[in-house]
Every structure is written in structure tokens, then in C-alpha cells.
Amino acid sequence: MLTQKIITVSIFVFFLNFGSVYAESIHFFDQGLFNGRMWRLLNDSQKVIHITGLREGILLCLTEISDDNLIPDKLKKAMIDAGLFDRRRLLFTALGPADLTPHIDAFYKEPLNVNIPIVHAYRQVSMEFNHAPGKELEANLKQLRERFPIE
């Protein structure tokens, strides 16, 4: 009987703790994307892996778009004319993932940026290294802070 009570209480305590952990973990996501709070929990290797995954995902998408024969030539031309393939918009820089992570760390040191998803932080940092105009950088950051505000 005592063993059964101990087991029951243990299960109850487990679910109480699980609920509080789950509630806290929600803050690591914004619109289904990892944000600055999650970034701060990653070690250096995990950060490099995350950035590498972003880059490879972009390359995969671009390859699929360029190889897709079902996309009409007129649409592909419109995509090129709209700057879809512009280097700054593709999130690439001459720096490798390991070189970018300290700059993303610095981005997240600003408290107003903590809810911004990692992919957007990566884009902002890449735009800086690709010499985007200051006004474009400021406007992008302002838009991100409005879209992902601090609660």
C-alpha cells in the first residue's frame, strides 16, 4: 500500500514538473522557429551545426528552384528581377558558419532581439557583412522587433 502511494505521488510530481518545463520551453520558439533564447542554450558546436543547416537548406531550395522545369521561364525571370537570388537575400557571406556565430551571439546580447528567430538573426548579420545600406539594416531590424516583440 505504501509503495503504491509512493508511486502515485511520484507520477503526480513528474507531471507537475513536466508541465512547468513545457510551459517554459514555449519561450524558445516564435512562430515555430527557434529564437535567441534557444540560441543562448546552444554550445559552440551546436551553433555551427545550426548555421550550417540553414545554409544547406537554402542551397537545397535554390537548387530545386533552378532545376524545376515546371516553373515558367517568365516566373524565373521575375524572381531574378525581384532580387530573389541577390546575395544579401540568400543569407550568404564570405564568412563561414564558425565565423558568423560570434556575431549572432552579439546580436542576441541586445534584449530587444531575444524573440527574433535564429534564421532572421542570421539574415540580419549576413546583410551587415554583405554591406547592405544602413537604412535597409535599420528598417529590417525595426520590422523584426515589431514582428517578434518582447512580452
Side-chain angles (χ1 to χ4, degrees), residues 80-143:
I80 291 168
D81 292 345
L84 180 66
F85 298 104
D86 177 15
R87 184 180 170 119
R88 280 183 285 130
R89 293 179 189 226
L90 295 180
L91 314 177
F92 291 109
T93 71
L95 297 177
D99 299 318
L100 280 174
T101 57
H103 299 282
I104 296 173
D105 289 338
F107 178 85
Y108 283 127
K109 284 184 182 174
E110 170 59 52
L112 294 175
N113 297 342
V114 75
N115 282 346
I116 297 172
I118 296 169
V119 67
H120 294 294
Y122 174 57
R123 178 175 184 261
Q124 182 75 18
V125 169
S126 294
M127 287 172 63
E128 291 172 15
F129 281 101
N130 282 313
H131 309 291
K135 288 184 179 184
E136 183 180 350
L137 289 168
E138 290 172 22
N140 188 62
L141 185 57
K142 182 179 184 233
Q143 184 266 336

Side-chain angles (χ1 to χ4, degrees), residues 26-136:
I26 291 171
H27 299 291
F28 296 117
F29 299 92
D30 270 294
Q31 297 178 4
L33 301 169
F34 288 124
N35 64 24
R37 288 184 177 89
M38 179 59 81
W39 179 262
R40 291 176 179 172
L41 296 176
L42 301 176
N43 64 37
D44 290 342
S45 296
Q46 292 168 325
K47 289 174 181 178
V48 169
I49 290 167
H50 194 90
I51 297 303
T52 301
L54 288 174
R55 285 183 151 189
E56 289 183 359
I58 293 165
L59 283 172
L60 176 65
C61 288
L62 291 175
T63 301
E64 291 298 314
I65 289 171
S66 65
D67 291 346
D68 190 345
N69 293 326
L70 298 177
I71 298 176
D73 290 336
K74 188 175 180 178
L75 177 58
K76 281 186 184 178
K77 182 179 179 336
M79 291 164 66
I80 291 168
D81 292 345
L84 180 66
F85 298 104
D86 177 15
R87 184 180 170 119
R88 280 183 285 130
R89 293 179 189 226
L90 295 180
L91 314 177
F92 291 109
T93 71
L95 297 177
D99 299 318
L100 280 174
T101 57
H103 299 282
I104 296 173
D105 289 338
F107 178 85
Y108 283 127
K109 284 184 182 174
E110 170 59 52
L112 294 175
N113 297 342
V114 75
N115 282 346
I116 297 172
I118 296 169
V119 67
H120 294 294
Y122 174 57
R123 178 175 184 261
Q124 182 75 18
V125 169
S126 294
M127 287 172 63
E128 291 172 15
F129 281 101
N130 282 313
H131 309 291
K135 288 184 179 184
E136 183 180 350

